[in-house]
PDB file of all heavy atoms in Angstrom:
ATOM      1  N   ASP A 296      34.779  -6.756  44.653  1.00 96.00           N
ATOM      2  CA  ASP A 296      34.101  -5.762  43.929  1.00 96.00           C
ATOM      3  C   ASP A 296      33.596  -4.601  44.784  1.00 96.00           C
ATOM      4  O   ASP A 296      33.618  -3.420  44.398  1.00 96.00           O
ATOM      5  CB  ASP A 296      32.860  -6.363  43.158  1.00 96.00           C
ATOM      6  CG  ASP A 296      33.275  -7.239  42.068  1.00 96.00           C
ATOM      7  OD1 ASP A 296      34.445  -7.058  41.552  1.00 96.00           O
ATOM      8  OD2 ASP A 296      32.509  -7.925  41.592  1.00 96.00           O
ATOM      9  N   TYR A 297      33.252  -4.815  46.007  1.00 95.00           N
ATOM     10  CA  TYR A 297      32.800  -3.800  46.886  1.00 95.00           C
ATOM     11  C   TYR A 297      33.762  -2.821  47.459  1.00 95.00           C
ATOM     12  O   TYR A 297      33.443  -1.854  48.065  1.00 95.00           O
ATOM     13  CB  TYR A 297      31.852  -4.418  47.981  1.00 95.00           C
ATOM     14  CG  TYR A 297      32.540  -5.533  48.776  1.00 95.00           C
ATOM     15  CD1 TYR A 297      33.349  -5.245  49.788  1.00 95.00           C
ATOM     16  CD2 TYR A 297      32.263  -6.818  48.398  1.00 95.00           C
ATOM     17  CE1 TYR A 297      34.004  -6.223  50.488  1.00 95.00           C
ATOM     18  CE2 TYR A 297      32.910  -7.805  49.162  1.00 95.00           C
ATOM     19  CZ  TYR A 297      33.759  -7.581  50.160  1.00 95.00           C
ATOM     20  OH  TYR A 297      34.418  -8.538  50.891  1.00 95.00           O
ATOM     21  N   VAL A 298      35.088  -3.121  47.229  1.00 96.00           N
ATOM     22  CA  VAL A 298      36.103  -2.237  47.675  1.00 96.00           C
ATOM     23  C   VAL A 298      36.948  -1.638  46.576  1.00 96.00           C
ATOM     24  O   VAL A 298      37.733  -0.795  46.860  1.00 96.00           O
ATOM     25  CB  VAL A 298      37.023  -2.896  48.719  1.00 96.00           C
ATOM     26  CG1 VAL A 298      36.123  -3.379  49.939  1.00 96.00           C
ATOM     27  CG2 VAL A 298      37.809  -4.000  48.106  1.00 96.00           C
ATOM     28  N   LYS A 299      36.756  -2.108  45.386  1.00 95.00           N
ATOM     29  CA  LYS A 299      37.442  -1.596  44.236  1.00 95.00           C
ATOM     30  C   LYS A 299      37.453  -0.105  44.121  1.00 95.00           C
ATOM     31  O   LYS A 299      36.283   0.505  44.134  1.00 95.00           O
ATOM     32  CB  LYS A 299      37.074  -2.363  42.892  1.00 95.00           C
ATOM     33  CG  LYS A 299      37.524  -3.780  42.810  1.00 95.00           C
ATOM     34  CD  LYS A 299      37.145  -4.349  41.497  1.00 95.00           C
ATOM     35  CE  LYS A 299      37.581  -5.836  41.316  1.00 95.00           C
ATOM     36  NZ  LYS A 299      37.105  -6.351  39.966  1.00 95.00           N
ATOM     37  N   GLY A 300      38.537   0.608  43.951  1.00 96.00           N
ATOM     38  CA  GLY A 300      38.507   1.971  43.782  1.00 96.00           C
ATOM     39  C   GLY A 300      38.571   2.715  45.086  1.00 96.00           C
ATOM     40  O   GLY A 300      38.773   3.958  45.118  1.00 96.00           O
ATOM     41  N   ARG A 301      38.383   2.082  46.226  1.00 98.00           N
ATOM     42  CA  ARG A 301      38.302   2.684  47.511  1.00 98.00           C
ATOM     43  C   ARG A 301      39.474   2.167  48.434  1.00 98.00           C
ATOM     44  O   ARG A 301      40.038   2.923  49.200  1.00 98.00           O
ATOM     45  CB  ARG A 301      36.987   2.375  48.206  1.00 98.00           C
ATOM     46  CG  ARG A 301      35.843   2.943  47.580  1.00 98.00           C
ATOM     47  CD  ARG A 301      34.566   2.918  48.421  1.00 98.00           C
ATOM     48  NE  ARG A 301      34.139   1.538  48.764  1.00 98.00           N
ATOM     49  CZ  ARG A 301      34.044   1.152  49.977  1.00 98.00           C
ATOM     50  NH1 ARG A 301      34.346   1.901  50.969  1.00 98.00           N
ATOM     51  NH2 ARG A 301      33.679  -0.151  50.185  1.00 98.00           N
ATOM     52  N   PHE A 302      39.752   0.916  48.340  1.00 98.00           N
ATOM     53  CA  PHE A 302      40.845   0.246  49.165  1.00 98.00           C
ATOM     54  C   PHE A 302      42.066  -0.149  48.360  1.00 98.00           C
ATOM     55  O   PHE A 302      41.868  -0.475  47.141  1.00 98.00           O
ATOM     56  CB  PHE A 302      40.289  -1.075  49.827  1.00 98.00           C
ATOM     57  CG  PHE A 302      39.215  -0.944  50.808  1.00 98.00           C
ATOM     58  CD1 PHE A 302      38.574   0.333  51.091  1.00 98.00           C
ATOM     59  CD2 PHE A 302      38.843  -2.014  51.575  1.00 98.00           C
ATOM     60  CE1 PHE A 302      37.595   0.424  51.987  1.00 98.00           C
ATOM     61  CE2 PHE A 302      37.808  -1.885  52.567  1.00 98.00           C
ATOM     62  CZ  PHE A 302      37.244  -0.628  52.750  1.00 98.00           C
ATOM     63  N   THR A 303      43.190  -0.042  48.973  1.00 97.00           N
ATOM     64  CA  THR A 303      44.414  -0.304  48.262  1.00 97.00           C
ATOM     65  C   THR A 303      45.305  -1.251  49.208  1.00 97.00           C
ATOM     66  O   THR A 303      45.630  -0.674  50.343  1.00 97.00           O
ATOM     67  CB  THR A 303      45.199   0.984  47.883  1.00 97.00           C
ATOM     68  OG1 THR A 303      44.395   1.728  46.984  1.00 97.00           O
ATOM     69  CG2 THR A 303      46.511   0.507  47.150  1.00 97.00           C
ATOM     70  N   MET A 304      45.697  -2.297  48.743  1.00 96.00           N
ATOM     71  CA  MET A 304      46.610  -3.136  49.522  1.00 96.00           C
ATOM     72  C   MET A 304      48.100  -2.948  49.077  1.00 96.00           C
ATOM     73  O   MET A 304      48.298  -2.922  47.864  1.00 96.00           O
ATOM     74  CB  MET A 304      46.298  -4.611  49.516  1.00 96.00           C
ATOM     75  CG  MET A 304      47.104  -5.547  50.403  1.00 96.00           C
ATOM     76  SD  MET A 304      46.403  -7.193  50.540  1.00 96.00           S
ATOM     77  CE  MET A 304      46.603  -7.823  48.911  1.00 96.00           C
ATOM     78  N   SER A 305      48.983  -2.798  49.931  1.00 95.00           N
ATOM     79  CA  SER A 305      50.352  -2.727  49.558  1.00 95.00           C
ATOM     80  C   SER A 305      51.268  -3.406  50.606  1.00 95.00           C
ATOM     81  O   SER A 305      50.730  -3.788  51.693  1.00 95.00           O
ATOM     82  CB  SER A 305      50.749  -1.178  49.453  1.00 95.00           C
ATOM     83  OG  SER A 305      50.602  -0.490  50.741  1.00 95.00           O
ATOM     84  N   ARG A 306      52.537  -3.405  50.312  1.00 94.00           N
ATOM     85  CA  ARG A 306      53.472  -4.162  51.266  1.00 94.00           C
ATOM     86  C   ARG A 306      54.733  -3.414  51.268  1.00 94.00           C
ATOM     87  O   ARG A 306      55.149  -2.826  50.349  1.00 94.00           O
ATOM     88  CB  ARG A 306      53.599  -5.623  50.779  1.00 94.00           C
ATOM     89  CG  ARG A 306      54.572  -5.916  49.688  1.00 94.00           C
ATOM     90  CD  ARG A 306      54.336  -7.112  48.978  1.00 94.00           C
ATOM     91  NE  ARG A 306      53.294  -6.905  47.821  1.00 94.00           N
ATOM     92  CZ  ARG A 306      53.092  -7.750  46.825  1.00 94.00           C
ATOM     93  NH1 ARG A 306      53.971  -8.763  46.711  1.00 94.00           N
ATOM     94  NH2 ARG A 306      52.257  -7.435  45.881  1.00 94.00           N
ATOM     95  N   ASP A 307      55.404  -3.587  52.459  1.00 96.00           N
ATOM     96  CA  ASP A 307      56.789  -3.151  52.620  1.00 96.00           C
ATOM     97  C   ASP A 307      57.559  -4.363  53.091  1.00 96.00           C
ATOM     98  O   ASP A 307      57.587  -4.696  54.289  1.00 96.00           O
ATOM     99  CB  ASP A 307      56.862  -2.015  53.686  1.00 96.00           C
ATOM    100  CG  ASP A 307      58.203  -1.316  53.697  1.00 96.00           C
ATOM    101  OD1 ASP A 307      59.223  -2.024  53.449  1.00 96.00           O
ATOM    102  OD2 ASP A 307      58.193  -0.126  54.064  1.00 96.00           O
ATOM    103  N   ASN A 308      58.253  -4.869  52.153  1.00 94.00           N
ATOM    104  CA  ASN A 308      58.993  -6.175  52.442  1.00 94.00           C
ATOM    105  C   ASN A 308      60.218  -5.841  53.358  1.00 94.00           C
ATOM    106  O   ASN A 308      60.544  -6.795  54.229  1.00 94.00           O
ATOM    107  CB  ASN A 308      59.536  -6.782  51.177  1.00 94.00           C
ATOM    108  CG  ASN A 308      58.390  -7.294  50.220  1.00 94.00           C
ATOM    109  OD1 ASN A 308      57.360  -7.759  50.807  1.00 94.00           O
ATOM    110  ND2 ASN A 308      58.588  -7.321  48.982  1.00 94.00           N
ATOM    111  N   ALA A 309      60.818  -4.707  53.334  1.00 96.00           N
ATOM    112  CA  ALA A 309      61.825  -4.420  54.227  1.00 96.00           C
ATOM    113  C   ALA A 309      61.487  -4.247  55.658  1.00 96.00           C
ATOM    114  O   ALA A 309      62.176  -4.611  56.513  1.00 96.00           O
ATOM    115  CB  ALA A 309      62.501  -3.103  53.772  1.00 96.00           C
ATOM    116  N   LYS A 310      60.217  -3.757  55.933  1.00 97.00           N
ATOM    117  CA  LYS A 310      59.705  -3.620  57.209  1.00 97.00           C
ATOM    118  C   LYS A 310      58.794  -4.795  57.618  1.00 97.00           C
ATOM    119  O   LYS A 310      58.211  -4.879  58.745  1.00 97.00           O
ATOM    120  CB  LYS A 310      58.875  -2.329  57.334  1.00 97.00           C
ATOM    121  CG  LYS A 310      59.795  -1.079  57.199  1.00 97.00           C
ATOM    122  CD  LYS A 310      58.899   0.160  57.284  1.00 97.00           C
ATOM    123  CE  LYS A 310      59.753   1.459  57.228  1.00 97.00           C
ATOM    124  NZ  LYS A 310      58.902   2.685  57.393  1.00 97.00           N
ATOM    125  N   ASN A 311      58.480  -5.750  56.683  1.00 97.00           N
ATOM    126  CA  ASN A 311      57.667  -6.824  56.909  1.00 97.00           C
ATOM    127  C   ASN A 311      56.201  -6.426  57.431  1.00 97.00           C
ATOM    128  O   ASN A 311      55.666  -6.907  58.341  1.00 97.00           O
ATOM    129  CB  ASN A 311      58.267  -7.842  57.949  1.00 97.00           C
ATOM    130  CG  ASN A 311      59.553  -8.407  57.462  1.00 97.00           C
ATOM    131  OD1 ASN A 311      59.606  -8.951  56.379  1.00 97.00           O
ATOM    132  ND2 ASN A 311      60.576  -8.491  58.346  1.00 97.00           N
ATOM    133  N   ILE A 312      55.655  -5.546  56.557  1.00 97.00           N
ATOM    134  CA  ILE A 312      54.312  -4.949  56.887  1.00 97.00           C
ATOM    135  C   ILE A 312      53.417  -5.074  55.675  1.00 97.00           C
ATOM    136  O   ILE A 312      53.874  -4.653  54.588  1.00 97.00           O
ATOM    137  CB  ILE A 312      54.391  -3.490  57.498  1.00 97.00           C
ATOM    138  CG1 ILE A 312      55.238  -3.491  58.794  1.00 97.00           C
ATOM    139  CG2 ILE A 312      52.978  -3.055  57.736  1.00 97.00           C
ATOM    140  CD1 ILE A 312      55.405  -2.100  59.306  1.00 97.00           C
ATOM    141  N   LEU A 313      52.270  -5.513  55.827  1.00 97.00           N
ATOM    142  CA  LEU A 313      51.214  -5.515  54.835  1.00 97.00           C
ATOM    143  C   LEU A 313      50.234  -4.372  55.263  1.00 97.00           C
ATOM    144  O   LEU A 313      49.724  -4.427  56.391  1.00 97.00           O
ATOM    145  CB  LEU A 313      50.580  -6.830  54.675  1.00 97.00           C
ATOM    146  CG  LEU A 313      49.461  -6.970  53.636  1.00 97.00           C
ATOM    147  CD1 LEU A 313      50.125  -7.016  52.262  1.00 97.00           C
ATOM    148  CD2 LEU A 313      48.687  -8.254  53.879  1.00 97.00           C
ATOM    149  N   TYR A 314      49.885  -3.528  54.298  1.00 98.00           N
ATOM    150  CA  TYR A 314      48.929  -2.410  54.602  1.00 98.00           C
ATOM    151  C   TYR A 314      47.677  -2.497  53.810  1.00 98.00           C
ATOM    152  O   TYR A 314      47.562  -3.261  52.779  1.00 98.00           O
ATOM    153  CB  TYR A 314      49.526  -1.096  54.104  1.00 98.00           C
ATOM    154  CG  TYR A 314      50.819  -0.665  54.813  1.00 98.00           C
ATOM    155  CD1 TYR A 314      52.014  -0.954  54.235  1.00 98.00           C
ATOM    156  CD2 TYR A 314      50.814  -0.224  56.096  1.00 98.00           C
ATOM    157  CE1 TYR A 314      53.176  -0.530  54.891  1.00 98.00           C
ATOM    158  CE2 TYR A 314      51.981   0.249  56.813  1.00 98.00           C
ATOM    159  CZ  TYR A 314      53.138   0.024  56.163  1.00 98.00           C
ATOM    160  OH  TYR A 314      54.301   0.407  56.754  1.00 98.00           O
ATOM    161  N   LEU A 315      46.608  -1.999  54.415  1.00 98.00           N
ATOM    162  CA  LEU A 315      45.384  -1.884  53.707  1.00 98.00           C
ATOM    163  C   LEU A 315      44.880  -0.391  53.921  1.00 98.00           C
ATOM    164  O   LEU A 315      44.499   0.027  54.921  1.00 98.00           O
ATOM    165  CB  LEU A 315      44.252  -2.822  54.200  1.00 98.00           C
ATOM    166  CG  LEU A 315      42.968  -2.688  53.518  1.00 98.00           C
ATOM    167  CD1 LEU A 315      43.187  -3.240  52.026  1.00 98.00           C
ATOM    168  CD2 LEU A 315      41.940  -3.579  54.221  1.00 98.00           C
ATOM    169  N   GLN A 316      45.035   0.357  52.827  1.00 98.00           N
ATOM    170  CA  GLN A 316      44.538   1.761  52.884  1.00 98.00           C
ATOM    171  C   GLN A 316      43.046   1.819  52.487  1.00 98.00           C
ATOM    172  O   GLN A 316      42.739   1.316  51.416  1.00 98.00           O
ATOM    173  CB  GLN A 316      45.365   2.655  51.939  1.00 98.00           C
ATOM    174  CG  GLN A 316      44.886   4.099  51.811  1.00 98.00           C
ATOM    175  CD  GLN A 316      45.077   4.845  53.052  1.00 98.00           C
ATOM    176  OE1 GLN A 316      46.223   4.821  53.683  1.00 98.00           O
ATOM    177  NE2 GLN A 316      44.109   5.622  53.604  1.00 98.00           N
ATOM    178  N   MET A 317      42.219   2.387  53.326  1.00 98.00           N
ATOM    179  CA  MET A 317      40.754   2.365  53.113  1.00 98.00           C
ATOM    180  C   MET A 317      40.278   3.757  53.036  1.00 98.00           C
ATOM    181  O   MET A 317      40.404   4.519  54.070  1.00 98.00           O
ATOM    182  CB  MET A 317      40.105   1.525  54.249  1.00 98.00           C
ATOM    183  CG  MET A 317      40.601   0.132  54.468  1.00 98.00           C
ATOM    184  SD  MET A 317      39.580  -0.728  55.705  1.00 98.00           S
ATOM    185  CE  MET A 317      40.007   0.227  57.149  1.00 98.00           C
ATOM    186  N   ASN A 318      39.770   4.146  51.933  1.00 98.00           N
ATOM    187  CA  ASN A 318      39.252   5.451  51.635  1.00 98.00           C
ATOM    188  C   ASN A 318      37.797   5.384  51.372  1.00 98.00           C
ATOM    189  O   ASN A 318      37.194   4.389  51.021  1.00 98.00           O
ATOM    190  CB  ASN A 318      39.934   6.118  50.433  1.00 98.00           C
ATOM    191  CG  ASN A 318      41.471   6.332  50.661  1.00 98.00           C
ATOM    192  OD1 ASN A 318      41.933   6.563  51.824  1.00 98.00           O
ATOM    193  ND2 ASN A 318      42.267   6.112  49.648  1.00 98.00           N
ATOM    194  N   ASN A 319      37.076   6.570  51.604  1.00 98.00           N
ATOM    195  CA  ASN A 319      35.609   6.709  51.273  1.00 98.00           C
ATOM    196  C   ASN A 319      34.816   5.521  52.018  1.00 98.00           C
ATOM    197  O   ASN A 319      34.174   4.899  51.385  1.00 98.00           O
ATOM    198  CB  ASN A 319      35.404   6.726  49.796  1.00 98.00           C
ATOM    199  CG  ASN A 319      33.907   7.047  49.528  1.00 98.00           C
ATOM    200  OD1 ASN A 319      33.381   7.798  50.254  1.00 98.00           O
ATOM    201  ND2 ASN A 319      33.492   6.624  48.331  1.00 98.00           N
TER     202      ASN A 319
END
């Protein structure tokens, strides 16, 4: 709950990378 709307998790399966975009 404390990161909803601010953080976004995504993945690139081709590059084998998991991301966490952190805003605000």
Side-chain angles (χ1 to χ4, degrees):
D296 289 340
Y297 50 83
V298 304
K299 285 182 178 177
R301 299 191 298 121
F302 291 10
T303 303
M304 184 169 67
S305 61
R306 79 203 86 159
D307 188 329
N308 292 330
K310 296 182 178 180
N311 295 313
I312 299 176
L313 182 72
Y314 297 102
L315 183 67
Q316 177 67 47
M317 306 185 295
N318 298 324
N319 192 24

